[in-house]
Amino acid sequence: MNEVSQRIKALAVSATLAMSQKSQELKAQGVDVINMSVGEPDFFTPEHIKEAAKKAVDENFSFYTPVPGYLSLRKAICAKLKNENNLDFAPEQIVVGNGAKQELCNVVLALVNPGDEVVIPTPAWVSYVEMVKLAEGKPVEVFASHEQDFKITAKQLEDAITPKTSLIMLCSPSNPTGAVYTRDELRALADVLARHPKVMILADEIYEHINYTGEINSIAQFEDVRERCIIINGVSKAYAMTGWRIGFMAGPLWVAKAVSKLQGQYTSGCSSIAQKAAEAAFAGPQDCVEQMRQAFERRRDLIISLMSEIPGLKISKPEGAFYVLPEVSAYFGKKYGDKVIENDLDLAMYLLEVGHVSGVAGSAFCAPGYVRFSYATSDENIRTAVARIKEALAALK
Ligand code: PMP
Ligand code: GLU
């Protein structure tokens, strides 16, 4: 029989994208669904960035691009890393690709051998575990619940590392929890990692600027682990550019070379026009980033104050990103008609079908018992959505 590979059979469908598609389908049928499943800014890309893209079209940036990205873009990224993070990188240490997602996957494929263990603090973004599986590595989940503000401790990390560990995937500010590690907490994790020199450190900082703590911290700031850190970032979240598909990795030269080699056989350099737009984003005025951050912070406060009024939900206040991840198990075992809500998957589906609000079941983030909602939407949508969630939950008996 002709059939797809074991690799694809073993791969889960992206739940964030699947839930978003389901809510779009319901919308197309005329159902008034509020989509809080996919996480992307609801703002338009700032004007000066769009202008740079139009100029690139007119100036005929229409040819294949260098595999790791235009040198001018990589230089702009190095300047960003120096100015904002006080980190020194040369353009040769940067690889630009189709979003942070591709660069994350590239790094995992470049570093993980079959059978290697990869430590993933959970709840974690849907794609981490699947990327590790693609590389035939073994995901080692380290869970931190809302009771510890979704942040793993140094002791938990130490206990998870074995001689087979080759990589840890850190995400701060985190999707799906909104947790932000403080400098001291990162220092404590770095102390553990300093004792395990074979472990590489993948720091996903895509939500760097959507941060309400007033402080931006990267684990790469610590000199004793810096040469093993690979930073992932991009323009999707900070500049409202999810559809442009530009992200990057910044790390040791040998990792950048390996990622470039992979990208050269797989996708080549990414879109010329989007790269010119991203260059304008990194090198241009940054006040748009702060304006959007303030809007997200206001919405965070709004959704937390409204959701806190719903009985049974346990919430850890998010310090970054634009997600809230309530623990919802108080509703398990309850019924709607003769349908029993057994778990978070049932509850997310119930809230979509009956409450017309789409979230994503925590199970997709290695966090059964939770449901994630993205609050990157208008105040009005947030108010209506929380009222609907409250009403739908109250209808469960
Ligand atoms: N990392 C995390 C934690 C994310 O939430 C996302 C958003 N999809 C990405 C990486 C990828 O971002 P993008 O590919 O749009 O740059
Ligand atoms: N990061 C977003 C989310 O988690 C985008 C969707 C995705 O790529 O998973 O919803």
Short mmCIF file of all heavy atoms in Angstrom, two decimals, residues 13 22 44 47 63 87 95 103 108 110 127 139 151 176 178 213 238 256 270 278 292-293 312 333 335 360:
data_model
loop_
_atom_site.label_atom_id
_atom_site.label_comp_id
_atom_site.label_asym_id
_atom_site.label_seq_id
_atom_site.Cartn_x
_atom_site.Cartn_y
_atom_site.Cartn_z
N VAL A 13 -0.89 17.09 14.60
CA VAL A 13 -1.30 18.30 13.89
C VAL A 13 -1.16 19.47 14.86
O VAL A 13 -1.44 19.33 16.05
CB VAL A 13 -2.78 18.17 13.44
CG1 VAL A 13 -3.33 19.48 12.91
CG2 VAL A 13 -2.90 17.08 12.37
N LYS A 22 -10.80 25.73 12.80
CA LYS A 22 -12.16 25.31 13.15
C LYS A 22 -13.02 26.53 13.45
O LYS A 22 -14.18 26.60 13.04
CB LYS A 22 -12.11 24.37 14.36
CG LYS A 22 -13.44 23.72 14.64
CD LYS A 22 -13.28 22.41 15.38
CE LYS A 22 -14.61 21.87 15.85
NZ LYS A 22 -15.63 21.56 14.93
N PHE A 44 -2.14 46.01 12.70
CA PHE A 44 -1.55 45.97 11.37
C PHE A 44 -0.05 46.26 11.49
O PHE A 44 0.39 46.96 12.42
CB PHE A 44 -2.20 47.01 10.45
CG PHE A 44 -3.66 46.73 10.17
CD1 PHE A 44 -4.63 47.72 10.34
CD2 PHE A 44 -4.06 45.48 9.73
CE1 PHE A 44 -5.97 47.45 10.09
CE2 PHE A 44 -5.40 45.20 9.47
CZ PHE A 44 -6.36 46.19 9.65
N GLU A 47 3.39 51.37 9.40
CA GLU A 47 3.51 51.95 8.06
C GLU A 47 4.93 51.96 7.52
O GLU A 47 5.16 51.63 6.35
CB GLU A 47 2.96 53.40 8.06
CG GLU A 47 1.44 53.50 8.06
CD GLU A 47 0.77 52.73 6.92
OE1 GLU A 47 1.28 52.76 5.78
OE2 GLU A 47 -0.27 52.08 7.19
N PHE A 63 15.42 38.62 -6.63
CA PHE A 63 16.26 37.44 -6.91
C PHE A 63 16.41 36.57 -5.67
O PHE A 63 16.08 36.99 -4.56
CB PHE A 63 17.63 37.91 -7.41
CG PHE A 63 17.53 38.74 -8.66
CD1 PHE A 63 17.52 40.13 -8.59
CD2 PHE A 63 17.39 38.13 -9.91
CE1 PHE A 63 17.39 40.90 -9.74
CE2 PHE A 63 17.27 38.90 -11.06
CZ PHE A 63 17.26 40.29 -10.98
N LEU A 87 24.61 41.96 23.69
CA LEU A 87 25.28 40.73 23.26
C LEU A 87 26.01 40.98 21.95
O LEU A 87 25.46 41.61 21.03
CB LEU A 87 24.25 39.61 23.07
CG LEU A 87 23.52 39.14 24.34
CD1 LEU A 87 22.38 38.20 23.98
CD2 LEU A 87 24.49 38.45 25.30
N VAL A 95 21.35 33.33 11.34
CA VAL A 95 20.66 32.76 10.18
C VAL A 95 19.20 33.19 10.24
O VAL A 95 18.54 33.02 11.26
CB VAL A 95 20.75 31.22 10.12
CG1 VAL A 95 20.07 30.70 8.84
CG2 VAL A 95 22.18 30.74 10.19
N GLU A 103 13.46 28.45 12.29
CA GLU A 103 14.80 28.49 12.89
C GLU A 103 14.88 27.60 14.13
O GLU A 103 15.90 26.96 14.37
CB GLU A 103 15.22 29.93 13.19
CG GLU A 103 15.46 30.75 11.92
CD GLU A 103 16.20 29.98 10.82
OE1 GLU A 103 17.39 29.72 10.95
OE2 GLU A 103 15.55 29.63 9.81
N VAL A 108 17.02 22.45 16.20
CA VAL A 108 16.78 21.12 16.78
C VAL A 108 17.34 20.04 15.84
O VAL A 108 18.06 19.13 16.26
CB VAL A 108 15.27 20.91 17.06
CG1 VAL A 108 14.98 19.47 17.45
CG2 VAL A 108 14.80 21.86 18.16
N ALA A 110 19.64 20.38 13.67
CA ALA A 110 21.10 20.51 13.54
C ALA A 110 21.84 19.98 14.77
O ALA A 110 23.01 19.63 14.68
CB ALA A 110 21.47 21.98 13.32
N SER A 127 4.70 23.19 19.30
CA SER A 127 5.61 22.63 18.29
C SER A 127 6.92 22.08 18.85
O SER A 127 7.61 21.34 18.14
CB SER A 127 5.90 23.68 17.22
OG SER A 127 4.70 24.02 16.56
N PRO A 139 11.76 13.85 23.86
CA PRO A 139 11.40 15.00 24.69
C PRO A 139 11.30 14.58 26.16
O PRO A 139 10.69 13.57 26.48
CB PRO A 139 10.00 15.40 24.18
CG PRO A 139 9.73 14.55 22.97
CD PRO A 139 10.66 13.37 23.01
N LYS A 151 6.95 28.15 36.36
CA LYS A 151 8.40 28.25 36.14
C LYS A 151 9.10 27.09 36.81
O LYS A 151 8.88 26.84 38.01
CB LYS A 151 8.92 29.59 36.70
CG LYS A 151 8.38 30.78 35.90
CD LYS A 151 9.07 32.06 36.27
CE LYS A 151 8.27 32.89 37.23
NZ LYS A 151 8.78 34.27 37.38
N PRO A 176 2.67 28.73 26.38
CA PRO A 176 1.34 29.31 26.54
C PRO A 176 1.08 29.95 27.91
O PRO A 176 -0.06 30.30 28.18
CB PRO A 176 0.46 28.05 26.44
CG PRO A 176 1.25 27.01 27.18
CD PRO A 176 2.69 27.32 26.85
N GLY A 178 2.64 32.67 29.67
CA GLY A 178 2.88 34.09 29.97
C GLY A 178 3.91 34.28 31.07
O GLY A 178 4.18 35.41 31.49
N THR A 213 7.10 43.06 32.94
CA THR A 213 7.88 43.10 34.17
C THR A 213 8.79 44.33 34.22
O THR A 213 9.36 44.63 35.26
CB THR A 213 8.79 41.86 34.31
OG1 THR A 213 9.75 41.90 33.24
CG2 THR A 213 8.01 40.56 34.21
N ALA A 238 6.65 41.20 17.98
CA ALA A 238 6.98 42.57 18.38
C ALA A 238 6.50 43.60 17.35
O ALA A 238 6.11 44.71 17.72
CB ALA A 238 8.48 42.72 18.59
N ALA A 256 25.41 28.06 13.46
CA ALA A 256 24.90 28.86 12.34
C ALA A 256 25.26 28.20 11.00
O ALA A 256 24.44 28.13 10.08
CB ALA A 256 25.45 30.28 12.41
N CYS A 270 15.09 33.10 2.70
CA CYS A 270 13.65 33.37 2.69
C CYS A 270 13.32 34.64 1.89
O CYS A 270 14.21 35.29 1.34
CB CYS A 270 13.10 33.41 4.10
SG CYS A 270 13.92 34.60 5.13
N ALA A 278 11.72 43.39 7.31
CA ALA A 278 12.24 43.07 8.66
C ALA A 278 13.43 43.96 9.00
O ALA A 278 13.59 44.37 10.17
CB ALA A 278 12.66 41.60 8.72
N MET A 292 2.27 48.89 21.17
CA MET A 292 1.54 47.62 21.15
C MET A 292 1.69 46.90 22.50
O MET A 292 0.75 46.32 23.01
CB MET A 292 2.02 46.75 19.99
CG MET A 292 1.60 47.32 18.64
SD MET A 292 1.91 46.25 17.23
CE MET A 292 3.54 46.73 16.73
N ARG A 293 2.89 46.98 23.08
CA ARG A 293 3.12 46.34 24.39
C ARG A 293 2.16 46.90 25.44
O ARG A 293 1.56 46.16 26.22
CB ARG A 293 4.58 46.57 24.82
CG ARG A 293 5.01 45.72 26.01
CD ARG A 293 6.19 46.32 26.75
NE ARG A 293 5.84 47.58 27.38
CZ ARG A 293 5.16 47.69 28.53
NH1 ARG A 293 4.80 46.60 29.17
NH2 ARG A 293 4.85 48.86 29.02
N GLY A 312 -14.07 28.62 40.09
CA GLY A 312 -13.42 27.36 39.71
C GLY A 312 -12.15 27.50 38.88
O GLY A 312 -11.35 26.57 38.82
N GLY A 333 -16.14 16.28 34.82
CA GLY A 333 -17.17 15.44 35.43
C GLY A 333 -18.53 16.09 35.38
O GLY A 333 -19.54 15.45 35.66
N LYS A 335 -21.85 18.02 33.48
CA LYS A 335 -22.58 17.62 32.27
C LYS A 335 -23.25 18.79 31.58
O LYS A 335 -23.67 19.76 32.24
CB LYS A 335 -23.69 16.63 32.65
CG LYS A 335 -23.23 15.24 32.88
CD LYS A 335 -24.48 14.40 33.08
CE LYS A 335 -24.16 12.94 33.28
NZ LYS A 335 -25.35 12.20 33.67
N VAL A 360 -7.51 26.94 23.18
CA VAL A 360 -6.80 25.71 22.82
C VAL A 360 -6.62 24.87 24.08
O VAL A 360 -6.18 25.39 25.12
CB VAL A 360 -5.41 26.00 22.19
CG1 VAL A 360 -4.73 24.71 21.77
CG2 VAL A 360 -5.53 26.96 21.01
#
